[in-house]
Amino acid sequence: ETGVTQTPRHLVMGMTNKKSLKCEQHLGHNAMYWYKQSAKKPLELMFVYSLEERVENNSVPSRFSPECPNSSHLFLHLHTLQPEDSALYLCASSQLGRAYNEQFFGPGTRLTVL
Amino acid sequence: DQQVKQNSPSLSVQEGRISILNCDYTNSMFDYFLWYKKYPAEGPTFLISISSIKDKNEDGRFTVFLNKSAKHLSLHIVPSQPGDSAVYFCAAGAYNQGGKLIFGQGTELSVKP
């Protein structure tokens, strides 16, 4: 595997379900990110982990719970979501300290909440 | 308040002609800017970047221009190819903001043969 991988690619869940999204980066980066992309809207930054510490939490509802067990893996635990949470969830990684913080993205998980 | 804006949701260009994608920003403290390209069912891929101290950066068919006084940047693709059809996002970052990037809402480019 190379780059940034995400599983599952598609997820349909009910409002009472609990599920998790997984992200893995194979680039040796020291920062990882979760973004939400809704139709025709900018990518919304949800969480940033730098060296496995959460350094950003953009007022995300508590029904989204991130976990970063090591520098290569990032999870997003989902619990009692709402239909408006249906979106594309993107994971990214980068190497902080470089001139430009080029973030490398995974393919995303298309989430549908019924 | 949206700090990075792409006011054209879509652009259609003939193959071989120039594509110009525009991006405006409001925060003069941004230190660098990036362009990403996104195909359906894939994540965004990094295309080209520019420092706030430069006004132009070129990479093959792609050139990014920065006008700091106007808080405006543009991506030029020449010649445009059908494979360039995708959604293009501009993003901005500041060194004192760690890894945070602020993205525009994207412009969908369609290059017609």
Side-chain angles (χ1 to χ4, degrees):
Chain A
E1 291 278 22
T2 59
V4 181
T5 57
Q6 288 186 245
T7 55
R9 294 294 307 273
H10 299 272
L11 178 62
V12 179
M13 59 187 288
M15 289 192 284
T16 58
N17 292 157
K18 286 186 183 180
K19 296 285 184 184
S20 295
L21 310 185
K22 179 184 174 184
C23 175
E24 185 172 359
Q25 60 100 356
H26 309 267
L27 300 167
H29 288 161
N30 58 13
M32 295 187 77
Y33 312 79
W34 278 117
Y35 286 89
K36 174 184 177 183
Q37 189 191 12
S38 305
K40 308 296 182 191
K41 291 174 100 175
L43 275 71
E44 300 171 52
L45 180 65
M46 300 174 74
F47 302 104
V48 180
Y49 276 84
S50 172
L51 299 170
E52 299 149 47
E53 272 195 51
R54 191 192 311 180
V55 296
E56 183 88 21
N57 177 348
N58 262 3
S59 304
V60 180
S62 59
R63 57 186 183 268
F64 295 91
S65 173
E67 179 191 0
C68 187
N70 55 60
S71 61
S72 300
H73 293 86
L74 186 65
F75 294 89
L76 188 63
H77 303 298
L78 314 173
H79 174 53
T80 59
L81 295 193
Q82 306 296 311
E84 60 264 28
D85 297 321
S86 298
L88 181 68
Y89 288 85
L90 291 159
C91 171
S93 71
S94 71
Q95 184 65 22
L96 295 178
R98 289 188 179 159
Y100 310 119
N101 184 33
E102 296 114 88
Q103 295 178 13
F104 293 78
F105 286 82
T109 295
R110 173 68 62 186
L111 173 67
T112 303
V113 182
L114 301 176
Chain B
D1 179 36
Q2 205 173 325
Q3 296 186 62
V4 178
K5 293 182 185 178
Q6 293 174 257
N7 292 317
S8 298
S10 62
L11 175 68
S12 183
V13 171
Q14 206 67 33
E15 181 179 6
R17 308 295 280 264
I18 185 171
S19 296
I20 300 177
L21 298 116
N22 294 302
C23 180
D24 297 294
Y25 61 96
T26 57
N27 187 347
S28 57
M29 302 304 290
F30 287 132
D31 295 304
Y32 55 88
F33 303 87
L34 307 95
W35 283 94
Y36 282 83
K37 171 177 167 179
K38 184 181 183 303
Y39 292 120
E42 294 183 15
T45 54
F46 169 72
L47 204 53
I48 193 169
S49 58
I50 188 167
S51 164
S52 63
I53 62 172
K54 298 193 177 229
D55 55 17
K56 178 181 174 182
N57 188 26
E58 193 172 350
D59 183 2
R61 296 185 297 115
F62 302 90
T63 303
V64 55
F65 293 93
L66 176 62
N67 182 334
K68 281 192 73 175
S69 60
K71 295 192 180 68
H72 177 83
L73 66 155
S74 59
L75 175 68
H76 293 213
I77 307 173
V78 55
S80 302
Q81 300 172 354
D84 296 329
S85 298
V87 178
Y88 289 78
F89 293 94
C90 66
Y95 294 128
N96 65 358
Q97 293 293 306
K100 191 173 175 178
L101 291 178
I102 308 295
F103 283 83
Q105 61 269 60
T107 296
E108 184 170 9
L109 173 66
S110 175
V111 180
K112 301 195 181 306

